[in-house]
Amino acid sequence: MGNITGLFADAIIFVLAPWILWRLLQRTLPIAILPILVGILLAVLHVPVQSFGVPSLYGDYLGWLAVLVLAFTAGLEMWQNPTQTPEARAIPSPSLHRLLGGAFVALGVPFIAGTLLVKAFFLPLHGWAAPIGRTWVSAMSLGLCISVSALPVLIGIVRELAPEDRPIGQLALKLAVVDDAALWIGLAILQFAARGAAALHGWTGFELLAVFLLAVLALGSSWATRNLRHPPLWLVWTAVPFYLAAGSWASHELGLHELIGAYFAGAIMPPSWIRRLPVEKIGTFSLMWLAPMFFGHSGLRIDGDALTWPSVVASLALVVIAIVTKLLAVWAYPPAPGLSGRQALSVGSLLQCKGLMEIVAATILHEHGMISDFAFASLMVLAVISTAMTGPMFRLVRGRPALRA
């Protein structure tokens, strides 16, 4: 009975209260950051929510399942063409080479600059050394979080743009799709690097089975793309939980995080099957009604004593690094031909949005001991600030109101 009571308390604190606040604020802040903000405040103020059974066992399960679904739908959105709107034709579509080059620069410059600055100035600070003791792995982990863009949150922000601004938003989404894939690949590489030589030894039959299962999923998708383009709808819906469960289990057995497997399972599903799924509705439901418990718990599990004034200052410094390097990268190498400086900076202002992708990435890295409690707390604050600033920054760069009320 205690778990049920805790679940209700979880839902009130991290789902209902943020939703009411979101409505009272007239949706000026993305709803994804409000539960994490509530959790951070509860942790910093040392509010004894444990007496209400929070975080609850069932809340943990439901929140975790929702985030798996979000990672899976992010993989599915790899195959959604964000340019199929009349407004998107106002900007010439970049070539694949130009798009990939722009995405590489937009991600690479913040990653390299962030990694070097973190290594030189942040990791020597008290409490910032990672438990695993691998300095460069920790620095690159923080650099990856600084450079990431929030694809799911960014999709929602772009949907709220005025019609004349949607071409810029659609271009930012194209870059964010590539960045999202790079994030999950980077997380996998960093986890292998953190484990060192141990990652290549001690494999059992389960690891081999995981590799075989991933190969079956990929080959099966390739075959279905060519030979089974219009299957019965029941088969598509049956394949969804199978892909999600198989990908998550396989990545876990390989020593990676389950979210990495969930993302790539969605990415390798047959595109013709994906187009028959209500991907947006599934993602929106998970984001608004279940995932808030995961994000709220992430904020709640922050060491309140780690979020000191120096940590807040460090968070603000990370915000400056993330924003400046992202804007400079997109301005220096615009992802599409013919963009003006203001348009390029507008794209950069959208891409600096961190949202739930950074929260998820930071949670994975923290769970594996690749970043410290102090760094994790600062990254949570960075995610909240950068996401909250996205709309106002875009309007400022564009020079006029762009978001609908």
Side-chain angles (χ1 to χ4, degrees):
M1 193 64 183
N3 286 329
I4 298 296
T5 303
L7 177 60
F8 276 109
D10 251 339
I12 292 172
I13 295 172
F14 297 119
V15 180
L16 182 60
W19 183 83
I20 293 174
L21 181 60
W22 181 60
R23 299 289 296 190
L24 290 175
L25 294 173
Q26 297 182 341
R27 306 182 183 184
T28 54
L29 289 178
I31 195 172
I33 69 172
L34 293 177
I36 185 72
L37 185 57
V38 170
I40 290 174
L41 289 175
L42 293 175
V44 171
L45 297 176
H46 298 285
V47 178
V49 292
Q50 293 81 4
S51 60
F52 299 101
V54 176
S56 67
L57 178 65
Y58 295 150
D60 265 339
Y61 288 156
L62 288 175
W64 177 240
L65 176 61
V67 174
L68 280 176
V69 172
L70 284 176
F72 184 71
T73 55
L76 296 176
E77 286 166 347
M78 283 280 293
W79 302 107
Q80 305 297 311
N81 190 342
T83 62
Q84 295 305 307
T85 60
E87 299 89 356
R89 301 189 184 97
I91 291 180
S93 180
S95 64
L96 180 60
H97 179 269
R98 181 66 175 262
L99 181 66
L100 293 177
F104 176 79
V105 173
L107 185 71
V109 171
F111 172 71
I112 294 173
T115 298
L116 295 177
L117 290 172
V118 165
K119 174 69 168 58
F121 299 107
F122 289 83
L123 292 185
L125 297 175
H126 172 70
W128 278 71
I132 63 170
R134 294 179 180 269
T135 305
W136 276 108
V137 170
S138 181
M140 288 188 289
S141 298
L142 288 165
L144 185 64
C145 289
I146 290 172
S147 62
V148 68
S149 298
L151 177 61
V153 173
L154 189 57
I155 289 173
I157 291 175
V158 169
R159 290 192 187 110
E160 297 179 8
L161 292 177
E164 62 270 20
D165 288 327
R166 285 185 191 144
I168 294 293
Q170 299 289 346
L171 181 58
L173 282 181
K174 286 184 175 182
L175 297 173
V177 166
V178 180
D179 285 357
D180 210 37
L183 165 66
W184 297 103
I185 294 172
L187 285 172
I189 293 173
L190 285 173
Q191 287 187 62
F192 274 119
R195 295 169 63 196
L200 303 177
H201 298 287
W203 272 31
T204 65
F206 284 110
E207 285 86 355
L208 296 175
L209 178 61
V211 173
F212 174 76
L213 184 57
L214 290 175
V216 168
L217 290 179
L219 292 174
S221 295
S222 177
W223 179 87
T225 300
R226 297 190 306 268
N227 302 290
L228 197 61
R229 297 182 61 86
H230 303 288
L233 192 56
W234 66 265
L235 180 59
V236 178
W237 279 106
T238 302
V240 166
F242 175 76
Y243 269 75
L244 174 58
S248 302
W249 178 85
S251 64
H252 173 74
E253 289 301 318
L254 292 174
L256 304 175
H257 204 278
E258 294 91 334
L259 290 171
I260 296 175
Y263 175 84
F264 284 107
I268 63 177
M269 276 198 72
S272 60
W273 294 27
I274 295 172
R275 285 190 284 270
R276 303 182 64 187
L277 294 171
V279 177
E280 179 183 340
K281 292 182 179 179
I282 295 172
T284 299
F285 178 82
S286 298
L287 176 64
M288 294 189 65
W289 302 114
L290 296 177
M293 286 185 282
F294 172 86
F295 297 119
H297 292 177
S298 296
L300 192 61
R301 290 184 177 120
I302 286 176
D303 182 357
D305 296 327
L307 200 59
T308 58
W309 177 245
S311 293
V312 173
V313 173
S315 300
L316 296 177
L318 291 178
V319 170
V320 172
I321 293 170
I323 292 176
V324 171
T325 54
K326 184 71 73 173
L327 292 178
L328 285 177
V330 179
W331 176 79
Y333 189 83
L339 287 182
S340 66
R342 184 178 290 273
Q343 288 175 322
L345 291 175
S346 298
V347 174
S349 68
L350 292 174
L351 288 177
Q352 66 79 37
C353 176
K354 298 290 177 282
L356 60 89
M357 284 296 99
E358 194 216 350
I359 295 171
V360 170
T363 301
I364 293 173
L365 296 168
H366 184 244
E367 287 178 354
H368 284 75
M370 297 161 67
I371 59 175
S372 68
D373 290 343
F374 282 76
F376 178 65
S378 294
L379 288 176
M380 295 296 99
V381 176
L382 167 62
V384 171
I385 294 176
S386 69
T387 307
M389 290 179 60
T390 301
M393 184 181 299
F394 180 81
R395 292 192 292 269
L396 178 64
V397 172
R398 290 290 282 163
R400 53 184 169 74
L403 293 174
R404 295 197 302 266

